[in-house]
Amino acid sequence: MTATGARPTTPTLDEVAVLAGVSRATVSRVVNDSPRVSPEARRAVEEAVATLRYVPNRAARSLVTRRTDTIALVLSESNTQVFSDPFFASIVRGLSERLADTDLNLVLLAARGESEQEKIGRYVRQGHVDGVILMSLHSDDLLPDILAGAHVPVVLSGRPLDGRPVAYVDADNAGGAAAATRHLLSLGRRRIATITGPLDMVAGLDRLAGYRAALADAAPPGVPELVAEGDFTEAGGLRAMTRLLAEAPDLDAVFVASDPMAVGALQALRAAGRRVPEDVAVVGFDDAAVAATCDPPLTTVAQPLGEMTSLMVELLLDQIEAGERAVGTRVCGTTLVRRASA
Amino acid sequence: MTATGARPTTPTLDEVAVLAGVSRATVSRVVNDSPRVSPEARRAVEEAVATLRYVPNRAARSLVTRRTDTIALVLSESNTQVFSDPFFASIVRGLSERLADTDLNLVLLAARGESEQEKIGRYVRQGHVDGVILMSLHSDDLLPDILAGAHVPVVLSGRPLDGRPVAYVDADNAGGAAAATRHLLSLGRRRIATITGPLDMVAGLDRLAGYRAALADAAPPGVPELVAEGDFTEAGGLRAMTRLLAEAPDLDAVFVASDPMAVGALQALRAAGRRVPEDVAVVGFDDAAVAATCDPPLTTVAQPLGEMTSLMVELLLDQIEAGERAVGTRVCGTTLVRRASA
DNA sequence: GGGTCTCGTGAAAACGCTTCCACGGCGCTA
DNA sequence: TAGCGCCGTGGAAGCGTTTTCACGAGACCC
């Protein structure tokens, strides 16, 4: 362990001002792109900033502006598994793309368990972030309440289960699931099972509700419900499919509430010697990358992820701008993407 | 979009002081657990804090202490795919566990591409974090240089490719790979292939080097190298295995540089009708959860992830404590975990 | 019983920035 | 030519903390 020298002190606004021969106020104006600065002063300051490698101190700045220019994506999920869900990866990608040309920073906060939720609550209340995008809520999640008490703008990814008044962006999960199920019906399938997401998550519940609604509305009499609960993971899909095959060996189609689970289901079907789509038609949900590459390519329900992340950011920025929380909700339509599996 | 009221102003130290009937200094002392406060004063302050729901303002605090009590895990990788690597998930879990009983916060910063790397550099230079743990470095990564210029403590996850003096924690990748390869030799295999990681990453290179060293040192003459480059993903493993089977149909073993790739390789082998381990023995790397559950269960090289994350945090805290960057390096041993695949 | 220590406390000075306000100097208009 | 307004600028007042320093009150020693 060798020391490589003490940390040099970073330059301050004062030093820049002295070097540029102007006042601190003028330096601040230049740094913040205020229009009321003469070209000469601006040039002098910019030069000084460059030679000193000056960077404004964020703590000092946000002490007075009361803004931090960072927003948090908080992920509340006991299972680190979430990280591997392509849906989550897409959200992260979408957000950082959307934020790229703003001067906002994105930080990820993950909470597994109650103590970490509290910790995040404290982090937010201390004023580390201007706003929060909250993902992956189970019904017993404390974070919405914690954040409500933090008086900070919040946008939920996904409709809140308890109907509380809060801004959120969601896909039309029920509509998409219903469309998928109707598609299977239109293929002539009559023993249509579903593998659900976790039933303490709104996406899980809504997709199941869509499946049920479609069977109730559009199916000929006598088409039964066949439901197995999954957990949005590939392994869970495999397990659920295996269970379904044991319970209903004559099923001829399955609507799977997420693509990773559908990939697992495909494996179970292959292991059981069923051909897809000849013996069993499969529809997934999410249109993850894997849906196009698996064997057979997966018919699935696509959500407009880019649009959704944009909307979340906009709803959040609106609140931050206005300096108050607000509830604005957007529900985005889904599309059925037809591939080989159904 | 309905307003739900303006954000109430949060209480300050002053208000607490007034309510408790003491000075600001005393309140500060109580909040920071200073010993030199009388029990009565302490009680009065704690009461006031509770009734006012006071939380210290972080900007003000770090303006004077020059600490933020947050450290960043920065992930430099153009591919959002990384998120789904179980290795990454384990690191995140390990770090947040290790940090749980400190008052340090962990934020995740992801950089895809140059502009986001710059953005992270700015974020760090602005003083948002006390230290950085840097992951997933490709050889052309700018971040080490950017962060070096930010004068902030840094610990790398993985040996730096260019040998720069910087603190890092790494597994003995070469040693683990060599052990895996020797294990295959000891099984009597003589046509041993390898699927590597990306060869611009140190883990990819070192594991390949270990494989080569083992063949050179421990193999009877005439045992050839068979190398296919992968990318640490399942799909990449499948592709690489397919390629290997085409090039060397008579191979009887394969050392795969990560478990997700090994899972892909297993699929390719099954598709080609090879039995594992009878026809082809397979060894993976990482001992990810999937290694125990896939079919057949995977013999693999385990790294002491918990120990590694702890060491990273300690190395980082040492530097923060000392107020200067330092280079301390730790290399952790690996163990071969025997399961059914080899 | 006087002097020295310790201990709890408060006043006040930073920390580095933004922003309000006042003040000259300039170009207009009348 | 006098008056008005605007524009660029600097001084200075905060923003909410921590921390140094000084101070008074007891406790203790000889």
Side-chain angles (χ1 to χ4, degrees):
Chain A
M1 183 90 78
T2 317
T4 57
R7 218 174 313 166
T9 86
T10 49
T12 73
L13 202 69
D14 273 292
E15 306 175 35
V16 176
V18 170
L19 181 57
V22 299
S23 72
R24 299 210 305 274
T26 299
V27 176
S28 174
R29 281 188 275 259
V30 171
V31 170
N32 293 297
D33 272 333
S34 157
R36 13 210 67 211
V37 177
S38 69
E40 312 88 67
R42 177 175 307 267
R43 222 181 30 73
V45 170
E46 278 165 354
E47 212 163 275
V49 165
T51 75
L52 255 28
R53 318 192 82 247
Y54 168 75
V55 178
N57 176 308
R58 241 349 173 5
R61 187 202 289 249
S62 58
L63 181 55
V64 24
T65 59
R66 344 217 72 191
R67 290 199 39 167
T68 62
D69 292 332
T70 106
I71 71 180
L73 172 61
V74 353
L75 196 65
S76 188
E77 172 64 65
S78 53
N79 201 337
T80 20
Q81 194 77 28
V82 223
F83 281 119
S84 44
D85 195 309
F87 175 74
F88 166 69
S90 299
I91 294 283
V92 174
R93 173 155 19 92
L95 286 178
S96 59
E97 266 165 22
R98 175 62 179 73
L99 258 24
D101 50 308
T102 70
D103 56 354
L104 258 50
N105 289 103
L106 179 69
V107 308
L108 261 58
L109 266 23
R112 310 166 308 118
E114 218 170 294
S115 80
E116 293 191 7
Q117 293 177 336
E118 297 286 358
K119 204 163 175 178
I120 287 179
R122 243 176 299 140
Y123 187 81
V124 170
R125 297 191 59 202
Q126 282 166 344
H128 272 287
V129 299
D130 293 338
V132 170
I133 292 175
L134 190 48
M135 260 191 84
S136 180
L137 291 176
H138 295 260
S139 54
D140 58 347
D141 205 300
L142 303 172
L143 233 11
D145 286 325
I146 293 177
L147 293 179
H151 305 299
V152 86
V154 172
V155 172
L156 259 49
S157 165
R159 181 170 68 82
L161 256 173
D162 56 5
R164 66 203 311 144
V166 60
Y168 71 85
V169 174
D170 206 351
D172 180 11
N173 286 305
T181 309
R182 280 197 305 270
H183 172 65
L184 290 169
L185 284 167
S186 78
L187 258 27
R189 310 290 167 143
R190 289 298 177 266
R191 295 280 288 167
I192 304 176
T194 187
I195 297 177
T196 73
L199 295 181
D200 64 343
M201 288 179 67
V202 70
L205 288 169
D206 285 359
R207 290 173 196 176
L208 173 58
Y211 160 85
R212 290 197 156 133
L215 285 192
D217 292 356
V223 171
E225 285 184 6
L226 295 167
V227 178
E229 184 171 353
D231 59 1
F232 281 154
T233 72
E234 185 174 324
L238 194 154
R239 281 194 300 271
M241 191 70 240
T242 308
R243 222 155 51 230
L244 280 174
L245 285 171
E247 285 170 21
D250 60 336
L251 62 81
D252 58 10
V254 56
F255 162 62
V256 190
S258 90
D259 284 348
M261 289 199 299
V263 169
L266 250 25
Q267 287 167 18
L269 288 167
R270 188 183 307 121
R274 312 296 174 99
R275 292 166 306 163
V276 175
E278 294 83 352
D279 302 329
V280 179
V282 177
V283 179
F285 207 112
D286 281 347
D287 197 21
V290 70
T293 60
C294 64
D295 179 30
L298 211 53
T299 294
T300 187
V301 180
Q303 353 182 17
L305 249 26
E307 185 187 333
M308 289 168 64
T309 51
S310 275
L311 281 173
M312 290 196 280
V313 172
E314 263 138 51
L315 288 180
L316 194 61
L317 291 183
D318 285 350
Q319 293 186 55
I320 292 173
E321 201 72 28
E324 57 186 26
R325 308 187 70 181
V327 347
T329 72
R330 305 295 155 83
V331 176
C332 300
T334 58
T335 19
L336 189 71
V337 179
R338 290 211 52 184
R339 296 206 181 85
S341 72
Chain B
M1 181 91 77
T2 318
T4 57
R7 217 175 314 167
T9 87
T10 50
T12 73
L13 203 67
D14 273 291
E15 305 175 35
V16 177
V18 169
L19 181 57
V22 299
S23 73
R24 298 210 303 275
T26 299
V27 176
S28 174
R29 280 188 275 259
V30 172
V31 169
N32 293 296
D33 271 332
S34 157
R36 12 208 71 213
V37 177
S38 69
E40 312 88 69
R42 179 177 305 270
R43 221 182 31 72
V45 170
E46 277 166 355
E47 212 165 278
V49 165
T51 74
L52 254 29
R53 319 192 82 246
Y54 168 74
V55 177
N57 176 309
R58 241 349 174 5
R61 187 202 287 252
S62 58
L63 181 55
V64 26
T65 60
R66 343 216 74 193
R67 289 199 39 169
T68 60
D69 291 331
T70 106
I71 70 179
L73 172 62
V74 355
L75 196 66
S76 188
E77 172 65 64
S78 54
N79 201 337
T80 21
Q81 194 78 27
V82 223
F83 282 118
S84 45
D85 195 309
F87 175 74
F88 166 70
S90 299
I91 294 284
V92 173
R93 171 153 22 91
L95 287 178
S96 58
E97 267 165 22
R98 175 63 180 70
L99 258 25
D101 49 309
T102 70
D103 56 352
L104 258 49
N105 290 103
L106 179 69
V107 307
L108 261 58
L109 266 22
R112 309 165 309 117
E114 220 170 293
S115 80
E116 293 192 6
Q117 293 177 335
E118 297 285 358
K119 204 163 176 179
I120 287 179
R122 242 176 298 139
Y123 187 81
V124 170
R125 297 191 59 202
Q126 282 166 344
H128 273 286
V129 299
D130 293 338
V132 171
I133 292 175
L134 190 48
M135 260 191 84
S136 180
L137 290 175
H138 295 260
S139 55
D140 59 346
D141 206 299
L142 303 173
L143 234 12
D145 286 325
I146 293 176
L147 293 179
H151 305 299
V152 88
V154 172
V155 172
L156 261 49
S157 165
R159 182 170 66 84
L161 256 172
D162 55 5
R164 67 201 316 143
V166 61
Y168 70 85
V169 174
D170 205 351
D172 179 12
N173 287 305
T181 309
R182 279 196 307 269
H183 172 67
L184 291 169
L185 283 166
S186 77
L187 260 27
R189 310 289 166 143
R190 290 298 177 266
R191 295 280 287 167
I192 305 175
T194 187
I195 297 175
T196 74
L199 294 181
D200 63 344
M201 287 179 66
V202 70
L205 289 169
D206 285 359
R207 291 173 195 177
L208 173 58
Y211 159 86
R212 290 197 156 133
L215 284 192
D217 293 354
V223 172
E225 286 183 5
L226 296 167
V227 179
E229 183 171 353
D231 58 1
F232 281 153
T233 73
E234 184 174 325
L238 194 154
R239 281 194 301 271
M241 191 71 239
T242 308
R243 223 155 51 229
L244 280 173
L245 285 171
E247 286 169 19
D250 59 339
L251 60 83
D252 57 10
V254 56
F255 162 62
V256 190
S258 90
D259 285 348
M261 288 199 299
V263 170
L266 250 26
Q267 289 167 16
L269 287 167
R270 187 183 306 122
R274 312 296 174 101
R275 291 165 307 162
V276 176
E278 294 84 351
D279 301 331
V280 179
V282 177
V283 179
F285 207 112
D286 281 347
D287 196 20
V290 69
T293 60
C294 65
D295 179 32
L298 211 52
T299 294
T300 186
V301 179
Q303 352 183 18
L305 248 27
E307 184 187 333
M308 289 168 65
T309 51
S310 275
L311 281 173
M312 290 195 281
V313 171
E314 263 138 52
L315 251 26
L316 194 62
L317 292 184
D318 285 349
Q319 292 185 55
I320 293 174
E321 200 72 27
E324 56 187 28
R325 307 187 70 180
V327 346
T329 72
R330 304 295 155 85
V331 175
C332 299
T334 57
T335 19
L336 189 70
V337 178
R338 290 212 53 185
R339 295 204 182 86
S341 72

